[in-house]
């Protein structure tokens, strides 16, 4: 999946689910701030309320002038409130010093409106500061553009990775991502998770949800693979009947050669009348039949156990995909489903605890 298409997929998600807006804003991408600054500029240039005509009645005129001053203050305090709201929105953290200058200017303007009621203050300075804040080009507060470029690269490379996997799974000819059940995919996924955990500015419940879903999909794929792979199930057994395949698991025809060799030696021992050797080998072959039958029963029992756990894991994954399980509850369930830590490591549980203190 090309970089531009990953960015496009992220943009589509952002437009559909605005939870990603703060992440894009920290990378310097927030077109909605441009519209908000323009609206604030128009509001600051709106025509002020008309001063009331004096009637000559001092008491009544003082009341009208007082109401006029209050309306005048509210007229310009409204866009100043919008500026405060703008500064509370997510934006590039390095723009914080510019935001402080804007707050100082807003406080100065409010002071002028109160000290000189009904007097139009000059808003040119705050307007310039807002433009510097938006375009990150204040002459005294320089922001390295490489910082933003690196964040946008991480946004595509790390936040966009789950979307890349999703896209690869839809296309059977797309080999940009290893199979979910492979150790290569697990290593790649954990590397991306570690990068995501290290990039604090990138943290978002939406992206965390994507990564946890990928971890569940990968674990489920490995669980299904383990449930259908006799060799893997046999390797999990602590006690196995001793054969050549146990000592040389990479050798596919090990058992056939092993038992053929024992049979030939037993036949040769009978031919040369070596009764004790022949009897021992024949007994070994007889016991081997029982040992392998016992192993087969244990493999089937473990297969049923793995299949049941795979079914439970799939149910948990489906409930999480439909937002029926919180991250905290999911952490507890995954520890129950993976008691030995075969499918989920500390990185996954670190992600699950990432947002537990958020409101």
């Amino acid at each position: 999946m090309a970089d531009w298409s990953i960015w496009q997929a992220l943009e589509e998600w952002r437009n559909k689910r605005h939870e990603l807006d703060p992440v894009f804003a920290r990378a310097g991408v927030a077109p909605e701030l441009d519209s908000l600054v323009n609206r604030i500029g128009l509001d600051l240039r709106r025509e002020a309320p008309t001063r009331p005509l004096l009637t000559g009645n001092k008491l009544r005129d003082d009341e009208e002038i007082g109401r006029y001053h209050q309306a005048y203050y509210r007229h310009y305090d409204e866009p100043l409130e919008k500026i405060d709201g703008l500064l509370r929105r997510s934006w590039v953290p390095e723009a914080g010093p510019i935001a402080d200058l804007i707050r100082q200017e807003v406080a100065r303007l409010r002071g002028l409106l109160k000290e000189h009621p009904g007097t139009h203050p000059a808003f040119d300075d705050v307007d310039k500061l807002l433009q510097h804040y938006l375009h990150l080009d204040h002459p005294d507060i320089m922001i390295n553009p490489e910082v933003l470029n690196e964040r946008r690269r991480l946004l595509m490379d790390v936040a966009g990775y789950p979307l890349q996997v999703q896209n690869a799974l839809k296309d059977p000819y797309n080999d940009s991502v290893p199979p979910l059940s492979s150790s290569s995919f697990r290593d790649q996924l954990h590397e991306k998770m570690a990068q995501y955990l290290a990039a604090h500015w990138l943290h978002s419940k939406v992206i965390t949800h994507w990564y946890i879903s990928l971890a569940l999909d990968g674990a489920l794929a490995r669980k299904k693979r383990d449930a259908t792979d006799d060799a893997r199930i046999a390797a999990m057994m602590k006690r196995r009947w001793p054969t050549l395949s146990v000592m040389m698991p990479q050798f596919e025809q090990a058992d056939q050669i092993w038992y053929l060799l024992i049979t030939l030696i037993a036949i040769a021992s009978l031919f040369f009348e070596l009764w004790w050797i022949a009897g021992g080998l024949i007994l070994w072959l007889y016991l081997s039949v029982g040992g392998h039958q016992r192993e087969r029963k244990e493999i089937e029992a473990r297969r049923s156990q793995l299949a049941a756990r795979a079914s439970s894991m799939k149910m948990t994954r489906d409930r999480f995909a439909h937002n029926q399980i919180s991250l905290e509850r999911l952490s507890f369930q995954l520890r129950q489903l993976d008691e030995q830590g075969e499918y989920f490591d500390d990185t996954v549980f670190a992600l699950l605890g990432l947002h537990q203190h958020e409101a």
Side-chain angles (χ1 to χ4, degrees):
M1 195 175 187
D3 286 351
W4 66 268
S5 59
I6 292 178
W7 186 265
Q8 185 180 26
L10 286 168
E11 280 280 9
E12 289 175 358
W13 259 96
R14 175 174 176 260
N15 294 329
K16 182 168 56 175
R17 299 281 299 275
H18 291 284
E19 292 95 328
L20 289 180
D21 283 349
V23 176
F24 273 82
R26 293 175 200 127
V29 181
E32 64 276 7
L33 294 188
D34 195 0
S35 301
L36 185 55
V37 168
N38 290 335
R39 287 198 299 271
I40 291 172
L42 292 174
D43 290 343
L44 290 173
R45 291 171 178 79
R46 284 186 305 172
E47 186 176 351
T50 305
R51 188 179 183 87
L53 297 175
L54 300 179
T55 63
N57 185 328
K58 187 176 185 309
L59 181 61
R60 183 176 178 180
D61 289 345
D62 289 344
E63 290 178 356
E64 289 295 328
I65 291 296
R67 283 195 289 269
Y68 165 71
H69 288 163
Q70 291 176 5
Y72 195 98
Y73 181 84
R74 287 195 304 270
H75 178 81
Y76 288 109
D77 188 58
E78 182 181 346
L80 296 180
E81 283 287 346
K82 290 182 180 180
I83 293 176
D84 291 336
L86 169 71
L87 299 180
R88 287 192 293 269
R89 295 172 71 105
S90 295
W91 187 229
V92 178
E94 289 77 8
I98 307 177
D100 292 338
L101 293 177
I102 295 174
R103 291 188 184 95
Q104 294 173 14
E105 181 62 17
V106 168
R108 188 186 71 84
L109 291 171
R110 284 196 171 110
L112 288 176
L113 288 170
K114 290 180 179 179
E115 292 174 8
H116 307 285
T119 302
H120 187 287
F123 295 111
D124 293 341
D125 289 344
V126 73
D127 191 44
K128 289 179 182 177
L129 286 171
L130 285 173
Q131 293 300 322
H132 287 315
Y133 181 72
L134 184 64
H135 298 106
L136 306 173
D137 58 357
H138 194 283
D140 298 328
I141 304 170
M142 303 302 296
I143 298 174
N144 189 351
E146 289 302 318
V147 173
L148 298 181
N149 292 336
E150 176 63 16
R151 283 185 190 153
R152 291 167 190 172
R153 186 193 66 78
L154 280 176
L155 189 57
M156 287 189 293
D157 189 41
V158 178
Y161 177 73
L163 299 181
Q164 181 183 1
V165 175
Q166 186 181 49
N167 180 76
L169 293 177
K170 292 178 181 177
D171 185 359
Y173 301 104
N174 190 330
D175 58 355
S176 60
V177 176
L180 294 184
S181 60
S182 66
S183 58
S184 298
F185 174 76
R186 185 177 186 178
D187 294 341
Q188 189 180 85
L189 176 61
H190 286 185
E191 180 184 353
K192 296 294 183 182
M193 283 181 171
Q195 291 179 2
Y196 175 63
L197 284 169
H200 300 284
W201 66 272
L202 199 54
H203 293 173
S204 166
K205 280 190 175 181
V206 173
I207 302 175
T208 301
H209 193 284
W210 290 348
Y211 270 107
I212 296 300
S213 296
L214 270 188
L216 286 168
D217 288 340
L220 184 58
R222 291 192 297 276
K223 181 75 80 172
K224 289 179 177 178
R225 176 204 62 191
D226 292 346
T228 57
D229 191 334
D230 288 356
R232 285 181 176 274
I233 297 177
M236 297 177 189
M237 297 167 58
K238 295 181 179 179
R239 296 180 180 177
R240 297 187 61 190
W241 187 258
T243 62
L244 192 61
S245 63
V246 175
M247 296 178 284
M248 302 175 62
Q250 299 85 2
F251 190 10
E252 293 183 1
Q253 308 299 326
D255 281 347
Q256 289 86 335
I257 295 175
W258 172 257
Y259 287 113
L260 178 61
L261 183 61
I262 292 178
T263 303
L264 291 174
I265 294 174
I267 293 172
S269 299
L270 288 172
F271 183 78
F272 290 105
E273 298 182 354
L274 301 173
W275 310 116
W276 287 106
I277 297 177
L281 292 175
I282 291 172
L283 179 62
W284 178 268
L285 290 171
Y286 176 77
L287 293 176
S288 294
V289 173
H292 284 296
Q293 288 178 345
R294 179 188 60 80
E295 280 191 6
R296 174 51 55 184
K297 290 181 180 178
E298 187 172 349
I299 286 173
E300 292 302 325
R302 291 191 176 224
R303 190 197 314 282
S304 299
Q305 185 181 28
L306 287 171
R309 289 190 176 183
S311 179
S312 299
M313 190 178 291
K314 184 179 185 306
M315 186 182 300
T316 300
R317 190 255 181 268
D318 291 343
R319 291 183 62 194
F320 179 70
H322 291 88
N323 295 317
Q324 297 175 354
I325 304 178
S326 65
L327 292 172
E328 295 79 6
R329 178 64 180 170
L330 181 63
S331 177
F332 174 74
Q333 292 193 6
L334 292 189
R335 292 186 188 278
Q336 287 186 317
L337 291 171
D338 188 27
E339 296 178 358
Q340 298 181 354
E342 298 176 73
Y343 301 96
F344 305 105
D345 66 355
D346 293 339
T347 307
V348 175
F349 291 106
L351 280 179
L352 288 170
L354 199 59
H355 307 283
Q356 62 181 357
H357 300 301
E358 293 183 5

